[in-house]
């Protein structure tokens, strides 16, 4: 559990888990909230972090669309 999926993060979470959770979370939001979040990521963690996150979300999105098309 990390701060994205639990109010009190467990000490077991890894950076990889945290990243996966963040991507899942972002994907549940609508476009305006997503854009807002990307802005805050850039402010807090920089342009590279924002680009990384957007890329991960886009990849996950593409993978899901594909999964849906096959099913
Ligand atoms: Zn988590």
């Amino acid at each position: 559990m990390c701060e994205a999926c639990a109010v009190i993060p467990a000490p077991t979470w890894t950076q990889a888990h945290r990243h996966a959770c963040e991507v899942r979370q972002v994907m549940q939001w609508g476009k305006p909230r997503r854009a807002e979040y990307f802005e805050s990521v850039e402010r807090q963690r920089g342009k590279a972090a924002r680009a990384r996150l957007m890329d991960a979300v886009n990849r996950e999105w593409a993978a899901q669309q594909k999964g849906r098309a096959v099913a």
Side-chain angles (χ1 to χ4, degrees):
M1 293 184 284
C2 64
E3 62 265 66
C5 63
V7 179
I8 303 164
T12 51
W13 64 268
T14 60
Q15 282 303 317
H17 167 85
R18 190 183 169 187
H19 179 74
C21 267
E22 187 175 40
V23 170
R24 261 200 308 274
Q25 181 83 66
V26 168
M27 287 181 69
Q28 284 170 13
W29 293 335
K31 219 175 173 180
R33 178 144 188 214
R34 225 161 32 224
E36 204 174 280
Y37 185 75
F38 287 140
E39 287 303 314
S40 84
V41 167
E42 182 172 338
R43 274 196 305 272
Q44 289 169 34
R45 294 188 255 155
K47 267 197 193 334
R50 177 199 176 137
R52 227 174 9 245
L53 180 60
M54 285 180 85
D55 192 54
V57 170
N58 286 336
R59 262 203 315 264
E60 186 63 31
W61 191 256
Q64 274 195 11
Q65 297 299 107
K66 223 167 150 190
R68 226 168 271 154
V70 173

